[in-house]
Amino acid sequence: MSMIPSNTRITPFLWFDGNAEEAVNFYCSVFKNSRRFDKMNSALDTSVPKGKVITISFELDGQAFVALNGGPNFKFNEAVSFMIRCENQEEIDYYWSKLTAEGGQEIQCGWLKDKFGLAWQVVPAQIAELVSTPKGMEAMMKMKKLVIAELEKANGSSKSAAADA
């Protein structure tokens, strides 16, 4: 495979400050269906010394990415994030704990920043349904990590909420 994956038309490029390889290794360890592809070393002394890794292509759950050792000029912010659609609470808990580990930050409403500063949204697959009522939306707004059972209860869509009525 070439440096730029040909199997997708749009490939996110992620700018890191010299730790792209560490980041790629981390993300590949978090996402079970992932793999590294090619890496390219710098041919010149630039912001990356000659012979050191400048880009690495990789894939997480079928989504192609390229990590760039671009230097300290730019930092990630919440204006761009990646959403992880989870089938159950176990998946939410898994991704939440892995991505907030070692310096990651919980934000709000299922959002977090990982230790590299990249923003993620960890949400249940049925998020639109769960926040379709004012009570469901209010419940989500009070959460950091999303808890499906609490969202279902607030929305009136869980079996336990029906039994409580």
Side-chain angles (χ1 to χ4, degrees):
M1 177 171 229
S2 73
M3 186 61 237
I4 299 177
S6 61
N7 60 337
T8 58
R9 181 174 214 101
I10 299 172
T11 302
F13 244 72
L14 304 176
W15 183 294
F16 294 91
D17 182 13
N19 58 353
E21 195 157 23
E22 176 189 350
V24 169
N25 290 339
F26 172 72
Y27 297 133
C28 287
S29 76
V30 170
F31 293 88
K32 293 172 179 70
N33 182 23
S34 64
R35 55 191 169 156
R36 286 177 56 146
F37 296 116
D38 294 339
K39 68 180 180 177
M40 185 172 77
N41 293 335
S42 180
L44 301 170
D45 279 326
T46 59
S47 61
V48 176
K50 183 178 180 179
K52 297 293 182 180
V53 174
I54 193 165
T55 57
I56 305 169
S57 60
F58 64 109
E59 185 178 271
L60 305 176
D61 273 334
Q63 174 63 54
F65 292 87
V66 175
L68 167 73
N69 276 326
N73 297 341
F74 301 104
K75 303 287 183 213
F76 295 122
N77 66 49
E78 293 84 353
V80 173
S81 64
F82 294 100
M83 184 172 67
I84 305 168
R85 184 181 50 82
C86 299
E87 295 302 321
N88 54 47
Q89 191 65 47
E90 183 180 0
E91 282 189 0
I92 290 172
D93 295 346
Y94 169 81
Y95 288 112
W96 193 266
S97 69
K98 294 292 186 182
L99 293 169
T100 58
E102 300 177 39
Q105 297 176 285
E106 296 181 344
I107 301 177
Q108 187 178 355
C109 304
W111 288 59
L112 62 87
K113 273 188 170 182
D114 66 30
K115 65 183 178 179
F116 299 101
L118 192 58
W120 297 85
Q121 298 174 54
V122 182
V123 301
Q126 70 276 30
I127 187 65
E129 175 189 323
L130 293 171
V131 299
S132 64
T133 66
K135 288 184 178 183
M137 181 64 78
E138 287 171 11
M140 182 191 69
M141 296 298 289
K142 294 176 184 173
M143 295 179 189
K144 289 188 177 185
K145 178 178 75 172
L146 300 183
V147 179
I148 295 171
E150 290 178 24
L151 291 169
E152 287 174 338
K153 185 175 181 181
N155 193 39
S157 61
S158 73
K159 293 175 186 170
S160 62
D164 293 342

